[in-house]
Amino acid sequence: MPDQIPTSTRPTPAGEVAALVDGGDMDCGSGLLLLITRAMRRLEPGQVLGIRSAEPSVVVDLPAWADLVGHSVDAQVGETPDGPWWFGVRKAARADQPVAMFSRGGRTPLGQRLWAYTNFDCNLACGYCCAESSPRAAARRLEPDLGREVFGEFRAVGGREVFLTGGEPFMHPRLTELVDAAEGLERTVLTNAMIFGRGRRREMLEALDRSVTLQVSLDSATPDLHDRQRGAGSWARALDGIGLAVSLGFRVRVAATLYDEDPAGVEALHRRLDSEGIAGEDRLIRPVAREGFAQAGVHVSIDTLEPEPTVTADGAWWHPVAVTDPHMRIADAALPVAEVFGVVRDTLAVQDAAARSGRQVFRCA
């Protein structure tokens, strides 16, 4: 979605406008807040941001947002009585940005963790894949040169850990270089553990520093559920991969993705992981998010999803499960990292201020 549109082809509020954003039908509880927060950060105090929206709730919510932050809505123009509407929002000389609770719910404090999609192609096509990865997906590889810049800036601003996910990271021919680019950070590579057993990919695995953690997907204690969700034969190969990684001295974390947490199935999975030598703290059970290929699962938005800033070769996102959702795109490039985290911090601050004031500023369908 473009964040700037030519003034010659669009009606604008009265007065000089420094930049324009078109929010389409997004509301403040979905992608519009991210879009206007990023645009405002790029303006000087006193400059005006033009905002176009076809969403009726924005007529009420946008002034509430501006009031919380300290900006002013100088103008509002409707293209028709029923919209779309244009707003002119003047950036405050000194915006009293509310203080955000950067570690809400006991989660990892914002700024310490970064997710990176190494690539989007995969040997599997899981029915619930939030990233829409498959053997036919465009690779969209994060190249080591960009990775070095991203991880270097992340370290410089106090980052501590990076999670490298995909797609299947071991399909990236330069994965080892990319992991090395994150040296100095706690590094975890997410993998289905199916393709690094031999040949060039076995060499890539063995070349990784043993300080790297491997997080392997295993959805059930027996093949039935795992293979139904991920493809025939995938359970046995994943289990072989876990055994190989452990034998080579890697710390292995196991993550199960489930539509429903059946207590008997979860207990059976834990018994299986006991037999594989996977420590209790290295086990994660997570729900399916209704994103990407998934037609069912948990609905997520910036209202309901704790931020886990995520970079790809071509952008930055609120959370790794949302990289196919344009409403949760933070930026059109992975750099600068400081701006990515800045947009998230500003958004959290306004969310917290709205919650404290009881205002309904962030509605989500």
Side-chain angles (χ1 to χ4, degrees):
M1 179 180 300
D3 63 358
Q4 294 197 5
I5 47 184
T7 56
S8 60
T9 60
R10 306 288 187 181
T12 59
E16 184 177 351
V17 174
L20 296 167
V21 298
D22 188 347
D25 60 359
M26 292 188 292
D27 61 22
C28 288
S30 55
L32 182 60
L33 183 60
L34 295 176
L35 196 63
I36 60 180
T37 297
R38 179 180 65 179
M40 271 296 185
R41 289 177 60 87
R42 297 174 178 178
L43 298 188
E44 298 295 327
Q47 289 187 310
V48 174
L49 176 67
I51 301 167
R52 181 182 186 272
S53 175
E55 166 54 46
S57 67
V58 174
V59 174
V60 175
D61 292 345
L62 188 68
W65 163 79
D67 182 57
L68 283 168
V69 179
H71 305 317
S72 60
V73 179
D74 285 4
Q76 178 181 324
V77 177
E79 294 183 17
T80 74
D82 297 321
W85 297 270
W86 284 84
F87 306 86
V89 181
R90 188 174 301 277
K91 185 171 182 176
R94 184 181 64 84
D96 294 321
Q97 187 73 10
V99 177
M101 298 157 55
F102 294 144
S103 184
R104 297 184 291 185
R107 302 295 180 85
T108 301
L110 182 66
Q112 292 189 9
R113 177 182 296 166
L114 179 70
W115 287 77
Y117 271 80
T118 59
N119 57 296
F120 284 83
D121 51 336
C122 186
N123 57 303
L124 298 178
C126 302
Y128 55 65
C129 181
C130 62
E132 298 182 351
S133 294
S134 75
R136 289 181 285 187
R140 293 169 58 197
R141 293 179 184 134
L142 182 65
E143 296 299 338
D145 286 347
L146 178 57
R148 274 186 283 273
E149 290 189 68
V150 169
F151 302 143
E153 185 181 338
F154 181 54
R155 281 191 298 266
V157 299
R160 290 179 49 187
E161 57 181 345
V162 62
F163 283 70
L164 298 115
T165 187
E168 169 50 50
F170 279 88
M171 291 182 70
H172 193 312
R174 301 178 68 186
L175 176 64
T176 305
E177 294 177 64
L178 197 54
V179 174
D180 288 346
E183 187 176 6
L185 299 166
E186 298 174 26
R187 296 165 291 178
T188 299
V189 177
L190 281 71
T191 175
N192 57 44
M194 292 176 59
I195 63 172
F196 56 44
R198 59 181 184 273
R200 177 172 55 85
R201 289 166 179 149
R202 172 66 177 265
E203 295 173 3
M204 291 168 58
L205 174 65
E206 294 188 354
L208 293 178
D209 191 278
R210 295 310 186 267
S211 65
V212 174
T213 297
L214 299 178
Q215 180 169 307
V216 179
S217 301
L218 190 73
D219 292 343
S220 56
T222 59
D224 294 346
L225 175 61
H226 183 98
D227 284 6
R228 188 162 66 247
Q229 296 188 155
R230 293 176 174 270
S234 59
W235 182 87
R237 292 179 65 188
L239 213 60
D240 288 345
I242 289 172
L244 173 60
V246 170
S247 73
L248 290 174
F250 287 99
R251 176 184 177 183
V252 175
R253 183 182 297 126
V254 172
T257 305
L258 304 174
Y259 282 97
D260 297 299
E261 290 189 22
D262 170 45
V266 171
E267 181 58 33
L269 178 59
H270 281 301
R271 289 196 299 270
R272 166 65 69 174
L273 297 180
D274 286 340
S275 70
E276 297 296 326
I278 304 300
E281 64 268 21
D282 287 332
R283 305 175 189 182
L284 171 67
I285 296 176
R286 59 197 177 189
V288 174
R290 195 165 69 245
E291 295 286 334
F293 288 150
Q295 299 300 307
V298 178
H299 171 73
V300 295
S301 71
I302 65 171
D303 269 352
T304 63
L305 201 59
E306 288 284 338
E308 295 271 2
T310 302
V311 298
T312 71
D314 44 20
W317 310 81
W318 184 263
H319 195 280
V321 305
V323 293
T324 60
D325 187 343
H327 291 178
M328 286 197 265
R329 188 178 189 126
I330 297 172
D332 299 327
L335 292 168
V337 172
E339 181 177 80
V340 172
F341 280 95
V343 170
V344 175
R345 286 192 176 94
D346 288 354
T347 304
L348 287 179
V350 179
Q351 286 180 332
D352 291 340
R356 290 194 299 271
S357 68
R359 299 188 186 193
Q360 296 295 315
V361 183
F362 309 108
R363 314 173 195 200
C364 242

